[in-house]
């Protein structure tokens, strides 16, 4: 028997004898612990084997490289989450499958905080394979929900929105709480707010319109969105005789930033090097380091620039309209069209932010708050006891961000503006109810020029 086969046989014997965990299981848990402590980028093989207390050769008996172990950790976390969700769904009425899955998700976060923290954050930093694994796990939960809906009476009330997006949005809401070890992850109030939120979308199953994500026809151009995308400045002219030192420095800085954004879209943050960026920007390493400390610093600047533009366009459109529903329609129209025209902004802002590091993640999650402040304007039109909770507003924004993320991952941002009616229904229903939200959307679409 080979040493590898003997080692694995010994693992099985130890498990039968009740010894805690096999070496593979310890490596998977070591990956979870290492990633939670220092992030995906620093969860290297050395960190994992130190946590697992095994040798480097043992690691390679089970995994070809760090990323294969990382993928196994994601699969393990999703399998554990699925167990909680399945138990809740099986015990609930068929039409309450989404609410039951949320209960399972929150229970998982409460009882398995380390695993939940890893699952809700680290796959977003791990590159395409990790993102695929993350998305596949959430899609598996969606299939459970849809399977239960098929057993429900068609007249039964159920939330009329994509369960895939809602579960993804809630994962985004839980992520910073789990990282900060906030106690509200373990309290009934959080769960009650989330359940009350999704029930604001309830309609008879036979009348559901929004559970699919089929894009609607595009609307007319928002006056706040330019027809041309943001672009880098022209290369510096020879001699630069007419440019000041400040103008030269700003030209070079912007070219570096756009080069970083372009490379992030093409090959991802993790695979992009400073040499790639300087080559794309047409500058040398000395110029790069005169503007940025490192690759992370450059990408942080790109992320900040993108967020400023997105927020400015969205806010200007929001405050241009009169009524609360109109404000949200105009904001959503500008938001989706801007990202559609500027796919580099969408890619860096919604795909690569977690890979850049904690600073970008914090900035990205802070943007949830900035956008939810626009939603709070709706409080002025409702009595205090009818207002959606702050958690509801935060989760609406997170669910929209999840939709943008999925759209960009699926092949680009070109279909985002077709989701404007979906986003409008998502925003309006907790304030005005699903019937009034549907009527408003129908009126807006009917008023579009043919």
């Amino acid at each position: 028997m080979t040493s590898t086969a003997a080692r694995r046989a010994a693992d099985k014997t130890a498990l039968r004898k009740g010894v805690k965990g096999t070496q593979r299981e310890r490596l998977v848990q070591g990956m979870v612990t290492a990633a939670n402590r220092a992030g995906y980028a620093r969860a290297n093989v050395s960190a994992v084997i130190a946590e697992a207390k095994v040798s480097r050769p043992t690691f390679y008996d089970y995994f070809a490289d760090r990323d294969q172990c990382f993928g196994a950790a994601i699969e393990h976390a999703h399998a554990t989450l699925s167990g909680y969700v399945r138990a809740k769904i099986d015990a609930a009425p068929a039409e309450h499958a989404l609410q039951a899955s949320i209960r399972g998700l929150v229970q998982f976060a409460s009882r398995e905080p380390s695993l939940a923290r890893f699952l809700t954050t680290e796959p977003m930093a791990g590159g395409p394979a990790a993102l695929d694994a993350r998305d596949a796990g959430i899609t598996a939960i969606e299939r459970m929900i849809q399977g239960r809906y098929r057993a429900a009476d068609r007249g039964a009330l159920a939330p009329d929105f994509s369960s895939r997006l809602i579960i993804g949005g809630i994962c985004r809401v839980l992520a910073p709480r789990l990282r900060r070890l906030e106690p509200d992850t373990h309290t009934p109030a959080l769960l009650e707010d989330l359940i009350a939120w999704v029930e604001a979308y309830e309609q008879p199953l036979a009348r559901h319109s929004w559970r699919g994500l089929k894009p609607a026809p595009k609307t007319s151009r928002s006056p706040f969105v330019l027809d041309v995308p943001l672009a880098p400045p022209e290369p510096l002219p020879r001699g630069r005789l007419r440019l000041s030192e400040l103008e030269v420095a700003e030209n070079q800085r912007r070219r570096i930033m756009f080069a970083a954004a372009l490379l992030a879209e093409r090959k991802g943050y993790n695979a992009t090097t400073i040499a790639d960026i300087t080559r794309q920007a047409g500058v040398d390493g000395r110029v790069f380091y005169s503007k940025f400390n490192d690759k992370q610093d450059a990408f942080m600047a790109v992320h900040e620039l993108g967020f400023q533009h997105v927020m400015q366009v969205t806010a200007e459109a929001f405050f241009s309209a009169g009524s609360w529903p109109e404000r949200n329609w105009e904001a959503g129209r500008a938001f989706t069209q801007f990202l559609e025209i500027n796919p580099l902004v969408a890619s860096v802002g919604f795909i690569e932010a977690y890979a850049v590091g904690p600073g970008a993640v914090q900035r990205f999650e802070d943007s949830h708050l900035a956008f939810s402040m626009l939603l709070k304007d709706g409080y002025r039109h409702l009595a205090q006891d009818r207002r959606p909770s702050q958690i509801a507003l935060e989760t609406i924004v997170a669910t929209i961000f999840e939709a943008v993320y999925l759209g960009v991952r699926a092949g680009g941002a070109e279909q985002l503006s077709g989701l404007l009616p979906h986003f409008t229904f998502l925003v309006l229903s907790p304030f005005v109810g699903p019937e009034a939200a549907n009527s408003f959307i129908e009126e807006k679409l009917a008023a579009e020029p043919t």
Side-chain angles (χ1 to χ4, degrees):
M1 183 181 293
T2 67
S3 60
T4 298
R7 187 178 291 113
R8 289 177 179 168
D11 283 342
K12 292 179 181 178
T13 301
L15 185 60
R16 285 195 297 269
K17 291 181 178 179
V19 176
K20 184 180 179 181
T22 67
Q23 288 178 323
R24 186 182 190 280
E25 289 167 345
R26 295 199 334 254
L27 285 165
V28 168
Q29 183 56 51
M31 173 59 77
V32 171
T33 303
N36 280 347
R37 175 177 294 121
Y40 163 81
R42 296 184 179 178
N44 53 32
V45 173
S46 296
V48 172
I49 63 176
E51 293 291 345
K53 295 180 172 57
V54 302
S55 68
R56 187 173 293 269
T58 297
F59 178 93
Y60 289 107
D61 284 344
Y62 294 99
F63 301 107
D65 53 28
R66 183 272 297 267
D67 285 344
Q68 189 179 69
C69 182
F70 189 69
I74 297 171
E75 290 174 5
H76 167 63
H78 267 304
T80 306
L81 168 59
S82 293
Y84 282 92
V85 170
R86 172 65 72 186
K88 293 295 184 182
I89 288 179
D90 288 347
E95 64 272 20
H96 293 165
L98 177 57
Q99 292 94 316
S101 70
I102 295 170
R103 294 182 191 280
L105 175 55
V106 173
Q107 186 178 75
F108 168 69
S110 176
R111 295 185 180 179
E112 312 271 0
S114 176
L115 211 53
R117 176 186 175 186
F118 169 81
L119 186 60
T120 56
T121 296
E122 295 309 324
M124 299 294 290
L131 294 176
D132 287 344
R134 178 231 186 225
D135 295 348
I138 298 175
T139 299
I141 294 174
E142 178 190 32
R143 291 197 186 105
M144 292 185 209
I145 296 167
Q146 299 306 320
R148 286 293 284 154
Y149 279 165
R150 286 192 286 273
D153 183 274
R154 304 313 293 165
L157 293 175
D160 184 10
F161 203 73
S162 164
S163 52
R164 167 63 188 81
L165 292 186
I166 285 175
I167 295 299
I170 292 174
C171 285
R172 290 174 180 269
V173 167
L174 292 175
R177 291 170 166 79
L178 288 162
R179 288 198 306 276
R180 296 192 295 259
L181 303 176
E182 289 187 4
D184 70 349
T185 311
H186 310 276
T187 62
L190 174 69
L191 178 59
E192 289 169 6
D193 282 346
L194 291 172
I195 297 298
W197 169 63
V198 297
E199 289 180 346
Y201 304 100
E202 285 188 333
Q203 296 195 101
L205 278 163
R207 290 170 46 198
H208 277 198
S209 303
W210 305 106
R211 278 198 285 133
L213 289 176
K214 182 180 179 181
K218 295 183 179 183
T219 57
S220 54
R221 175 72 67 213
S222 168
F224 300 96
V225 179
L226 299 177
D227 288 329
V228 294
L230 301 175
E234 292 293 323
L236 292 167
R238 288 188 178 182
R240 310 174 186 173
L241 296 178
R242 299 178 183 176
L243 296 177
S244 68
E245 289 186 8
L246 287 177
E247 289 172 319
V248 170
E250 182 59 19
N251 177 287
Q252 292 170 331
R253 184 174 184 275
R254 293 292 290 264
R255 280 159 52 205
I256 290 169
M257 290 168 61
F258 275 92
L262 181 63
L263 290 164
E265 183 186 43
R266 289 178 179 173
K267 56 193 297 189
Y269 171 83
N270 290 316
T272 297
T273 65
I274 291 176
D276 293 330
I277 295 171
T278 56
R279 189 180 306 112
Q280 181 69 41
V283 300
D284 62 29
R286 291 171 299 175
V287 171
F288 179 93
Y289 285 109
S290 71
K291 308 293 183 292
F292 302 102
N293 294 325
D294 50 27
K295 182 178 77 166
Q296 184 182 58
D297 191 26
F299 273 90
M300 287 282 287
V302 174
H303 191 274
E304 178 65 21
L305 178 67
F307 172 72
Q308 288 174 357
H309 280 284
V310 171
M311 195 68 222
Q312 178 180 348
V313 165
T314 304
E316 285 177 351
F318 181 88
F319 290 110
S320 72
S323 72
W324 160 243
E326 289 279 353
R327 286 186 164 197
N328 282 282
W329 180 267
E330 291 303 323
R333 186 160 68 115
F335 173 77
T336 55
Q337 289 178 2
F338 178 85
L339 292 176
E340 196 170 78
I341 291 173
N342 292 279
L344 294 184
V345 173
S347 177
V348 173
F350 293 86
I351 302 293
E352 298 299 327
Y354 280 79
V356 175
V361 172
Q362 186 63 55
R363 186 170 293 166
F364 180 73
E365 291 173 346
D366 286 346
S367 70
H368 290 199
L369 179 61
F371 280 95
S372 68
M373 291 300 293
L374 298 181
L375 300 188
K376 275 192 172 182
D377 185 67
Y379 282 177
R380 297 188 297 111
H381 309 285
L382 295 173
Q384 181 114 16
D385 60 350
R386 294 183 55 217
R387 294 174 180 174
S389 68
Q390 178 61 40
I391 289 293
L393 303 190
E394 185 181 344
T395 315
I396 288 170
V397 174
T399 302
I400 291 172
F401 281 22
E402 180 75 7
V404 174
Y405 156 84
L406 284 179
V408 176
R409 281 214 81 208
E414 62 271 8
Q415 295 297 319
L416 287 179
S417 64
L419 296 180
L420 172 59
H422 298 73
F423 294 165
T424 303
F425 182 80
L426 182 69
V427 170
L428 293 186
S429 289
F431 289 88
V432 304
E435 290 189 8
N438 276 327
S439 295
F440 172 80
I441 293 166
E442 290 169 3
E443 289 174 6
K444 294 301 295 183
L445 293 176
E448 283 290 318
T450 57

